[in-house]
Amino acid sequence: MKTIKTSITTLLLALFATTVMAQMQNPVHFTVKQNQVSPTEVDVIFSGTIGSGWHVYSTNMAGGGPTSATINMDKAQGVKKIGGLKAHGDEISVFDKLFNMQVRYFKGSVQFVQKFKITAKTYNIKGYLEYGACNDQSCMPPTSVEFNYSGKGPADAPQPTDDKTAADVDNTTTANTDTAMTANVVKTDSVARDTSTIVAKSDLWKPVIKEMQQFNGNDNNSNHSWMYIFFMGFIGGLLALFTPCVWPIIPMTVSFFLKRNKDKKRGIRDAITYGISIVVIYLALGLAITAIFGASSLNALATSAVFNILFCLLLIVFAVSFFGWFEITLPSSWSNSVDSKASTTSGLLSIFLMAFTLTLVSFSCTGPIIGFLLVGVSSTGNIAAPAIGMFGFALALALPFTLFAMFPTWLKSAPKSGSWMNTIKIVLGFIELAFSLKFFSVADLAYGWHLMDREVFLALWIVIFGMLGLYLIGKLKFQSDLAGGEDKPMPVPCIMLGLVSIAFAVYMIPGLWGAPCKAISAFAPPMNTQDFNLSKGEVRAKYTNYEEGMAAAAAEGKPVIVDFTGFGCVNCRKMEAAVWTDPSVAEKLTKDYVLISLYVDDKTKLAKPIEITENGEKRTLRTVGDKWSYLQRSKFGANAQPFYVALDNHGNLLAKSYSYDENIDHYMKFLNQGLDNYKK
């Protein structure tokens, strides 16, 4: 019993620790060692392992961009640098449109090496490596890897002297201090005071991690997302029902069950078993995909450029299949084999094999819908998504077999097979073609190809939904529509939907000149990718110092939005360009809030270094960026940017935190929640 209690206690503590660190990310791990290659030369080697989806920036990049990897010396006794910091690994070089410069970075692993010449009998080198890391959603603040090594040099060398200045002469080329940008946003008096007491005593720095857990925990986003995935699967199953491969089978299958058994109750029972078998088959498919990919792989799908390209191509193939160019079918031998097995067996096994036969025979219609569903739910990164989505799909697909068996008279009023099923296939083809562009856009942004900028995306969607509208009103025909030799006018519901589709295409046209088009903000590339943009409204924070901004908010009687950002944070620029430029968001930020932007990579030196103890280890805050990064970690339990929090002017939390999400409606909900709670 004592062992059980201990295990439960340990589990609860682990769960609590996991919750506390939920927003703390540590995707990069560095080890450091020294290697004295000769009596007169020593290398300091930093070996980094980079988590999936993340990248670490290389050395010696131009100022005004992401954080370069640099080495900084605190002590250099008896040594001199030989050249600068060297990077080893598979370096990737791309043009970043946000920074208007070429950036270089590493994925998977990297090694940085700094060579030193030993100039004395003994030496002591102390300092730290500073690097920047980002993924497609957020960036880490500049992170330090400290080192402190001593050793012996040549016996005939002179006694050591402190030649730190000589060792640091070339630091100016690797410091990557964004001087021009810093001068524009950092006030001169923001670092003039001694801030060592602020960290220790001010209530403004009081941690609100528990309060943030309550806000974020009450949001129930995971439950909402599960319901959304289930609903998405259920809708997919309903659409699959009305395809030529499934709908004609329903009355035949139900009639078979009712005629096979003289006992009507037994026929209904068999039909229910048949429906349950369909659910089991598709649920097993979802579970298999979950087991094959695993949690980490599914999370990587959302940001992996390779997977997004494959998803795009897959959806295009499905779309042209629905258009009638070719038909996706499984080998006929599979369905024939399963069908023969079902005929020679009896009992529950025969019913299950019949359901499996339906799955194989109807694959040409259900396959693209299932593929579209699995592509969508897998890219959410939710480990349970495939199983939940397939359960919803199978439930919708199985319901008619059970309901028609229970109420056979309904079959008489059910719509007969006809050309309307082909119309549904064509419409699904247009939808899959439109959504394939979303996945290509993710890859395009990751690689910086600039093939799918916002105006290109909008132009293609305007064409796709315009053509869909023309098809639904009968002005566009496919070969499959003319196969029966009939050219009947489209029914009224189709014409109405066609008008809606054309209206949606017209709605997107102003977006070509920079209109927000909020309805598609979650799908289109960010506003900053648009070359021709007549809307230039920008929002900039008045304050880049936490204490000054909070004092101004108290004087004005307003709540505060604290924006943890960075000069080298790509996704921060995306949020500012795509979300802050929206008129409704801009009005809230400028009129209802005091906006404070804290740059965690600001290299401006503090008037006096601040010694802190964090996680049992002593650390030194040397720069303004170090101070704001520590504020984010200690007060909010987070360390990635962009990161937004709504506070009252006493430093108390007003709403759940907000990270990288370009959905304007979500951001407005975040702002309104903070305002509502502030008024209370």
Side-chain angles (χ1 to χ4, degrees):
M1 180 63 72
K2 185 176 180 180
T3 304
I4 294 174
K5 287 183 177 179
T6 304
S7 300
I8 293 173
T9 303
T10 304
L11 179 61
L12 291 174
L13 288 173
L15 289 173
F16 176 76
T18 301
T19 304
V20 169
M21 300 301 290
Q23 299 190 81
M24 295 291 286
Q25 302 184 50
N26 191 20
V28 183
H29 299 275
F30 268 98
T31 59
V32 57
K33 65 178 181 179
Q34 72 166 340
N35 179 26
Q36 189 166 350
V37 295
S38 73
T40 60
E41 189 174 310
V42 62
D43 294 343
V44 177
I45 303 170
F46 305 88
S47 300
T49 302
I50 307 168
S52 176
W54 287 80
H55 56 264
V56 170
Y57 289 101
S58 188
T59 60
N60 299 321
M61 292 194 298
T67 301
S68 293
T70 62
I71 191 166
N72 301 272
M73 305 303 300
D74 292 331
K75 188 175 184 180
Q77 195 172 44
V79 295
K80 281 188 176 182
K81 280 186 182 179
I82 302 177
L85 185 68
K86 302 295 183 184
H88 301 278
D90 296 327
E91 188 177 75
I92 299 170
S93 179
V94 298
F95 183 82
D96 194 307
K97 189 174 180 180
L98 281 170
F99 294 114
N100 195 33
M101 62 180 288
Q102 201 78 12
V103 298
R104 295 172 289 108
Y105 55 79
F106 299 88
K107 290 186 174 182
S109 62
V110 65
Q111 191 175 78
F112 297 112
V113 179
Q114 178 61 60
K115 292 182 176 293
F116 292 92
K117 180 181 179 181
I118 304 173
T119 59
K121 289 183 178 180
T122 61
Y123 66 86
N124 179 218
I125 45 178
K126 180 181 179 182
Y128 59 95
L129 169 76
E130 187 174 65
Y131 66 90
C134 291
N135 66 3
D136 289 340
Q137 298 294 318
S138 58
C139 290
M140 303 290 290
T143 307
S144 300
V145 182
E146 298 191 2
F147 64 92
N148 187 358
Y149 293 118
S150 300
K152 294 182 179 179
D156 57 349
Q159 292 294 328
T161 58
D162 188 358
D163 53 358
K164 175 180 173 181
T165 304
D168 274 349
V169 166
D170 58 349
N171 269 358
T172 55
T173 62
T174 59
N176 191 33
T177 57
D178 302 295
T179 309
M181 296 181 68
T182 305
N184 290 330
V185 296
V186 178
K187 299 180 185 300
T188 55
D189 59 347
S190 64
V191 293
R193 61 175 68 89
D194 181 359
T195 55
S196 58
T197 58
I198 295 176
V199 176
K201 298 180 180 179
S202 175
D203 288 340
L204 296 177
W205 286 68
K206 181 180 65 176
V208 292
I209 298 174
K210 291 183 179 179
E211 292 86 345
M212 182 166 291
Q213 291 168 16
Q214 293 174 358
F215 271 112
N216 292 348
N218 292 336
D219 191 41
N220 290 325
N221 277 337
S222 59
N223 294 333
H224 289 318
S225 62
W226 286 4
M227 288 300 297
Y228 169 77
I229 291 169
F230 173 81
F231 182 73
M232 185 177 173
F234 193 83
I235 294 297
L238 291 179
L239 291 173
L241 278 175
F242 298 106
T243 57
C245 313
V246 179
W247 188 259
I249 300 176
I250 296 175
M252 293 187 295
T253 306
V254 173
S255 298
F256 169 78
F257 282 125
L258 294 177
K259 292 177 181 178
R260 187 173 89 159
N261 301 289
K262 295 181 180 180
D263 185 359
K264 183 179 178 181
K265 290 184 178 180
R266 186 173 179 182
I268 293 174
R269 186 198 65 187
D270 287 351
I272 293 173
T273 305
Y274 183 75
I276 293 174
S277 299
I278 293 173
V279 174
V280 169
I281 290 168
Y282 283 106
L283 183 59
L285 175 61
L287 291 172
I289 291 173
T290 299
I292 291 170
F293 283 101
S296 59
S297 296
L298 284 178
N299 284 325
L301 294 183
T303 56
S304 169
V306 174
F307 274 108
N308 276 282
I309 293 173
L310 292 176
F311 288 164
C312 171
L313 295 175
L314 185 65
L315 290 182
I316 291 175
V317 170
F318 289 157
V320 296
S321 171
F322 272 156
F323 288 155
W325 192 1
F326 56 85
E327 193 171 273
I328 301 174
T329 57
L330 294 174
S332 58
S333 58
W334 292 13
S335 56
N336 293 336
S337 175
V338 176
D339 190 36
S340 62
K341 291 279 186 181
S343 302
T344 56
T345 56
S346 59
L348 296 178
L349 180 59
S350 67
I351 296 173
F352 181 83
L353 291 174
M354 285 180 64
F356 201 68
T357 303
L358 169 71
T359 304
L360 297 177
V361 170
S362 63
F363 182 79
S364 60
C365 291
T366 60
I369 299 175
I370 293 171
F372 178 67
L373 171 66
L374 291 177
V375 165
V377 300
S378 295
S379 62
T380 64
N382 190 323
I383 182 60
I388 296 170
M390 293 306 293
F391 176 69
F393 179 89
L395 189 62
L397 199 64
L399 273 178
F401 294 95
T402 304
L403 293 176
F404 284 138
M406 296 175 66
F407 308 101
T409 55
W410 289 6
L411 280 172
K412 296 179 181 179
S413 59
K416 305 300 181 183
S417 302
S419 59
W420 59 270
M421 292 184 295
N422 182 70
T423 301
I424 291 177
K425 283 184 64 177
I426 299 295
V427 171
L428 288 174
F430 276 110
I431 293 174
E432 296 207 347
L433 187 61
F435 277 93
S436 69
L437 300 179
K438 165 62 179 173
F439 293 99
F440 184 81
S441 172
V442 173
D444 180 69
L445 289 170
Y447 283 115
W449 296 330
H450 306 297
L451 299 175
M452 190 62 68
D453 289 344
R454 188 172 183 268
E455 61 266 41
V456 176
F457 182 93
L458 289 175
L460 291 173
W461 264 39
I462 290 168
V463 171
I464 290 172
F465 284 96
M467 293 182 67
L468 173 59
L470 293 176
Y471 174 77
L472 287 172
I473 65 176
K475 297 299 182 181
L476 178 67
K477 295 292 183 181
F478 285 80
Q479 191 65 37
S480 56
D481 295 311
L482 306 174
E486 298 181 0
D487 190 12
K488 294 181 179 179
M490 299 297 282
V492 173
C494 285
I495 294 175
M496 298 301 293
L497 288 175
L499 294 176
V500 171
S501 183
I502 293 173
F504 181 60
V506 173
Y507 162 80
M508 290 186 286
I509 291 175
L512 297 173
W513 291 273
C517 295
K518 296 181 185 179
I520 62 166
S521 60
F523 303 101
M527 188 75 75
N528 60 274
T529 64
Q530 186 148 331
D531 294 321
F532 185 62
N533 187 355
L534 298 180
S535 176
K536 294 296 183 180
E538 292 184 346
V539 175
R540 294 296 176 193
K542 285 185 179 180
Y543 301 94
T544 56
N545 179 280
Y546 178 58
E547 288 78 17
E548 289 180 1
M550 295 299 285
E556 297 178 29
K558 290 183 178 181
V560 173
I561 292 293
V562 180
D563 160 37
F564 287 96
T565 182
F567 297 118
C569 174
V570 178
N571 298 298
C572 302
R573 303 292 85 76
K574 290 180 181 178
M575 287 292 292
E576 292 163 9
V579 180
W580 283 11
T581 53
D582 179 80
S584 56
V585 173
E587 184 177 12
K588 289 281 184 186
L589 288 175
T590 55
K591 293 184 178 180
D592 298 330
Y593 281 100
V594 170
L595 179 61
I596 306 172
S597 289
L598 304 179
Y599 290 81
V600 298
D601 55 358
D602 184 352
K603 299 297 194 303
T604 305
K605 296 291 184 182
L606 291 170
K608 180 180 179 182
I610 304 171
E611 296 289 338
I612 62 165
T613 301
E614 188 175 21
N615 299 325
E617 297 182 3
K618 288 188 176 181
R619 294 190 59 188
T620 302
L621 308 181
R622 301 176 176 88
T623 66
V624 172
D626 290 344
K627 176 186 172 185
W628 302 143
S629 180
Y630 176 66
L631 170 66
Q632 185 184 4
R633 296 193 307 271
S634 62
K635 185 174 178 68
F636 304 106
N639 65 341
Q641 293 79 46
F643 185 76
Y644 308 96
V645 284
L647 306 175
D648 65 16
N649 41 54
H650 298 289
N652 300 310
L653 199 65
L654 294 174
K656 70 185 189 75
S657 60
Y658 195 96
S659 299
Y660 177 72
D661 180 0
E662 293 184 29
N663 188 300
I664 293 173
D665 291 336
H666 293 173
Y667 201 81
M668 283 297 295
K669 182 180 178 181
F670 158 70
L671 295 177
N672 288 329
Q673 183 185 19
L675 281 174
D676 292 342
N677 288 332
Y678 180 74
K679 291 174 182 177
K680 292 177 183 178

